[in-house]
């Protein structure tokens, strides 16, 4: 739980004004969880099995954000036009399913933030372009006491991935709140566009897979350096 002193340091003075928001929709990778090592390892396992050059951590960092299929299209030579692409992508998914939590962990301060939001009665959900089974698996491991919904990539079911608004709209329905009553939190340009397309105010985090300069270049206006600072927006 956030201490009284920490709350007073970060809380915007509003007198007796009630919270402006009833819910928070979180991105997952780079926002709640550090997942880059496991994504890199799954990528390189699949590439190596088919004799393709492996990728560095920084390359994988640049490739993520638009779903794992596009991650692999960027990682595989010639992308989806490579005759071995589907086989390589299948290997990635198989490996990641078994190893998605080897080196993954919540960022410092995230669990304390979620507990404080829960205490305040703020509803929460996860919306991620990560494979749906991995989103639900990681949510169950780390966030089952906090999240009303955990939604991953579901395009085969007709729900477009971010930055389309479909996944956020599904989350809002499960949260039973309107767009005006929720705030969106993410670490990338995709998240900024998702919030805009969904009609939600956006808060961008600087501890994720994109730096502050990049976020500002892509339209970020609300930036936070530590999870506790999110309390200023709810």
């Amino acid at each position: 739980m956030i201490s009284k002193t920490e709350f007073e340091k970060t809380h915007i003075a509003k007198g007796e004004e009630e919270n402006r928001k009833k819910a928070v929709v979180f991105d997952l990778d780079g926002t709640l969880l550090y997942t880059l090592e496991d994504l890199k390892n799954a990528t390189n396992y699949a590439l190596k099995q088919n004799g393709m050059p492996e990728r560095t951590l920084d390359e994988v960092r640049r490739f993520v954000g638009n779903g794992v299929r596009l991650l692999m299209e960027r990682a595989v030579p010639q992308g989806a036009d490579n005759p071995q692409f589907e086989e390589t992508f299948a290997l990635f998914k198989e490996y990641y399913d078994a190893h998605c939590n080897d080196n993954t962990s919540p960022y410092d301060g995230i669990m304390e933030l979620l507990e404080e939001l829960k205490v305040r009665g703020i509803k929460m959900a996860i919306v991620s372009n990560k494979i749906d089974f991995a989103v639900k698996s990681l949510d169950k491991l780390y966030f089952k006491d906090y999240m009303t919904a955990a939604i991953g990539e579901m395009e085969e079911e007709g729900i477009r991935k971010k930055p389309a608004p479909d996944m956020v709209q599904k989350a809002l329905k499960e949260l039973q709140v309107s767009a005006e009553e929720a705030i969106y939190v993410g670490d990338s340009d995709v998240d900024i566009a998702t919030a805009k397309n969904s009609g939600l105010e956006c808060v961008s985090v600087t501890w994720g897979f994109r730096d502050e300069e990049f976020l500002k270049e892509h339209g970020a206006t609300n930036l936070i350096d530590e999870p506790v600072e999110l309390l200023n927006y709810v």
Side-chain angles (χ1 to χ4, degrees):
M1 182 144 344
I2 304 296
S3 70
K4 182 175 184 293
T5 301
E6 196 67 28
F7 167 71
E8 290 173 346
K9 281 168 55 181
T10 59
H11 185 61
I12 293 176
K14 301 178 187 176
E16 297 300 319
E17 182 184 348
E18 294 183 355
N19 290 342
R20 295 184 298 127
K21 303 296 180 181
K22 295 182 179 179
V24 179
V25 178
F26 289 100
D27 171 53
L28 184 62
D29 296 46
T31 301
L32 295 175
L33 293 178
Y34 176 77
T35 56
L36 202 57
E37 290 283 349
D38 289 332
L39 288 168
K40 183 202 75 170
N41 291 345
T43 299
N44 285 337
Y45 170 82
L47 294 172
K48 187 175 181 179
Q49 293 302 303
N50 281 324
M52 299 174 185
E54 296 182 32
R55 296 294 191 167
T56 67
L57 190 69
D58 192 56
E59 285 178 316
V60 174
R61 181 193 304 276
R62 296 197 305 269
F63 295 164
V64 299
N66 296 89
V68 291
R69 185 177 184 88
L70 191 52
L71 160 62
M72 292 307 293
E73 287 181 9
R74 291 164 171 165
V76 170
Q78 292 85 52
D81 293 332
N82 190 308
Q84 292 180 290
F85 175 78
E86 293 298 339
E87 176 188 351
T88 307
F89 184 39
L91 285 169
F92 168 91
K93 289 188 288 184
E94 179 183 355
Y95 184 94
Y96 192 67
D97 186 21
H99 298 277
C100 67
N101 194 45
D102 287 359
N103 302 284
T104 286
S105 62
Y107 287 98
D108 288 346
I110 286 295
M111 301 311 296
E112 293 85 353
L113 169 66
L114 299 184
E115 182 63 26
E116 181 66 18
L117 291 172
K118 180 180 178 180
V119 167
R120 297 186 187 193
I122 303 294
K123 298 178 181 180
M124 292 171 273
I126 293 169
V127 168
S128 171
N129 279 343
K130 183 189 286 291
I131 305 170
D132 189 58
F133 70 73
V135 173
K136 288 178 168 51
S137 174
L138 291 169
D139 172 60
K140 186 176 180 180
L141 279 170
Y142 293 105
F143 309 123
K144 61 183 176 63
D145 293 332
Y146 304 102
M147 300 298 163
T148 297
I151 301 166
E153 190 271 313
M154 304 173 69
E155 287 198 307
E156 291 183 0
E157 299 178 35
I159 299 173
R160 294 173 297 171
K161 67 182 179 182
K162 301 184 296 183
D166 303 29
M167 300 169 76
V168 172
Q169 290 170 350
K170 177 175 172 60
L172 294 177
K173 186 175 181 180
E174 295 190 34
L175 290 167
Q176 298 183 320
V177 299
S178 67
E180 294 74 21
E181 293 173 321
I183 194 165
Y184 185 94
V185 183
D187 74 307
S188 73
D189 51 322
V190 175
D191 294 312
I192 294 167
T194 300
K196 181 178 179 180
N197 293 339
S198 305
L200 272 67
E201 182 181 0
C202 184
V203 172
S204 298
V205 308
T206 61
W207 59 77
F209 299 163
R210 304 289 187 269
D211 61 29
E212 182 174 341
E213 181 179 358
F214 179 92
L215 293 169
K216 287 181 176 178
E217 287 174 356
H218 288 82
T221 55
N222 303 316
L223 293 109
I224 59 174
D225 298 322
E226 298 180 9
V228 69
E229 294 175 40
L230 184 64
L231 299 178
N232 290 336
Y233 294 91
V234 297

